[in-house]
Amino acid sequence: MTYTLYQIDAFTDHTFGGNPACVVPLEAWLPEDIMLKIAKENAVAETAFFVSKGDKIHLRWFTPEIEMDLCGHATLATAHCLKTLLNYKSDKIIFETLSGDLNVLVQKDTYKMDFPSRMPTADNLPESILKSLNIKPKEVLKARDYVLVYENETEIRNIKIDRQLFDEINLDPGGVIVTAIGDACDFVSRFFTPQASILEDPVTGSAHCSLIPFWAERLNKKDLYALQVSERMGKLYCEDKGNRVVISGKAKTYSIGHFWIE
C-alpha cells in the first residue's frame, strides 16, 4: 500500500521554524504497532494520522515511543494540511480525539484551536528532575506536565538538562515545562520529555493548556502572546476562556512524499 506523507512546520510563519510534524491521511486505521513504527521512522516529535468521518475528522497522535492524549502542533499541522493541500471546504474543522472533540477555526492563514484547560496546582518535583536542572525553579506545579516557574526569560534560555539524571523518571505521557514572564511577550517557555528520543520539543501546543490558565491568572489578562524559546522558536497567540483555552498559530508546508508498507 502507498501512503502520502506531509511534513509541516507548525507555530511559525516560515520554513525551518516552529515544530515539524508529519501528517498521514488514512482510509482506515492501521494497527497501532505500525503507526508507532511510522512515527519512529519519521523521526519528528509527533506524527498525526487521521480518518475522515464525514462531519468530523478522527485524529490520533504518535510520538516515536507512544500514542499521545493531546498534541497541539500536530493538530495545527493537520488543519493546515486539510485546508491548504487537501481542499477541505469548511473553515471549521472538528477533530474527534482522545481528549474529546477539538474545534479548529481557520481565519486566513491562522488556525485557532479550542483545547481543554488544565490549570496546574502546587506539587513536589521528583529529585532526579530537580538534580538534572542547572538552574532551580522558584515554583513547582503540575497538571499533566510539571510546570516549573522561573524568575525571567534569561533563566529559561540558559537552562541545561543533565539527561542521565533526567531520564531516571518516566512521565508517560507528560513532560516538564519551564516558564517565566517574557521580555517581549507575556510569557516564554521550553518543554522537555524524559526518556524520549527528542529531549526538547521545539513548540508544544498542549503545554499551553496549562500555561494559559496559569499566566492568565498570574498576569490578570485573558489574551496572551507567548514564545517557546527553543532553537527553532514558536509563536502562540493565546486566550483563556475558563474551562477551555484557544491556542492560535500559523504553519508552513515543508515537504510532500510517499511511503510504502508491504
Side-chain angles (χ1 to χ4, degrees):
M1 289 287 293
T2 303
Y3 300 88
T4 304
L5 177 73
Y6 304 90
Q7 185 162 324
I8 293 164
D9 293 336
F11 292 116
T12 184
D13 56 7
H14 62 275
T15 308
F16 306 124
N19 199 351
C22 289
V23 180
V24 180
L26 298 173
E27 294 293 328
W29 292 113
L30 296 168
E32 288 186 8
D33 65 320
I34 297 297
M35 290 190 284
L36 275 170
K37 287 177 180 178
I38 294 168
K40 188 172 184 178
E41 191 79 5
N42 290 340
V44 295
E46 304 272 356
T47 296
F49 299 86
F50 73 84
V51 175
S52 179
K53 296 181 66 177
D55 292 340
K56 294 183 181 181
I57 304 290
H58 193 180
L59 178 63
R60 297 170 71 180
W61 311 277
F62 287 81
T63 75
E65 291 82 28
I66 61 170
E67 181 173 8
M68 289 294 292
D69 67 327
L70 185 63
C71 177
H73 85 279
T75 301
L76 194 161
T78 305
H80 178 77
C81 177
L82 285 163
K83 284 299 293 182
T84 65
L85 302 172
L86 299 179
N87 199 32
Y88 193 81
K89 299 298 183 185
S90 176
D91 286 334
K92 182 179 180 180
I93 305 171
I94 304 174
F95 290 114
E96 181 182 304
T97 80
L98 286 176
S99 291
D101 284 358
L102 304 177
N103 296 332
V104 179
L105 183 64
V106 185
Q107 293 184 336
K108 295 184 179 180
D109 58 351
T110 299
Y111 302 87
K112 300 170 71 72
M113 303 185 295
D114 185 324
F115 273 28
S117 178
R118 295 173 169 174
M119 174 66 92
T121 57
D123 208 322
N124 296 312
L125 194 63
E127 193 70 16
S128 60
I129 294 178
L130 184 63
K131 288 181 177 179
S132 74
L133 300 165
N134 65 320
I135 306 172
K136 308 309 179 192
K138 66 176 186 178
E139 291 181 68
V140 177
L141 306 98
K142 190 176 188 298
R144 181 193 73 175
D145 311 303
Y146 282 100
V147 179
L148 312 185
V149 184
Y150 284 81
E151 289 288 347
N152 52 53
E153 182 174 324
T154 299
E155 287 190 341
I156 299 300
R157 291 181 178 273
N158 290 337
I159 285 172
K160 293 181 174 59
I161 300 285
D162 182 329
R163 183 146 199 192
Q164 185 173 352
L165 291 171
F166 193 66
D167 282 349
E168 287 180 3
I169 193 165
N170 183 0
L171 299 180
D172 176 17
V176 176
I177 308 164
V178 296
T179 188
I181 291 174
D183 295 338
C185 62
D186 290 300
F187 66 89
V188 296
S189 67
R190 293 170 69 191
F191 188 92
F192 304 93
T193 308
Q195 299 186 12
S197 56
I198 299 172
L199 171 64
E200 181 171 3
D201 192 42
V203 195
T204 317
S206 62
H208 288 73
C209 293
S210 294
L211 289 169
I212 293 170
F214 173 78
W215 284 114
E217 182 177 277
R218 188 64 56 96
L219 300 175
N220 193 29
K221 59 190 302 188
K222 294 294 185 183
D223 296 306
L224 304 124
Y225 172 49
L227 294 175
Q228 192 153 332
V229 290
S230 64
E231 182 179 347
R232 292 176 64 100
M233 186 69 73
K235 299 177 181 179
L236 305 97
Y237 303 89
C238 310
E239 182 182 356
D240 179 61
K241 299 185 75 175
N243 64 347
R244 306 290 294 180
V245 296
V246 175
I247 307 166
S248 303
K250 299 183 178 183
K252 283 289 184 180
T253 301
Y254 172 69
S255 66
I256 303 172
H258 296 89
F259 64 93
W260 291 264
I261 299 176
E262 296 180 356

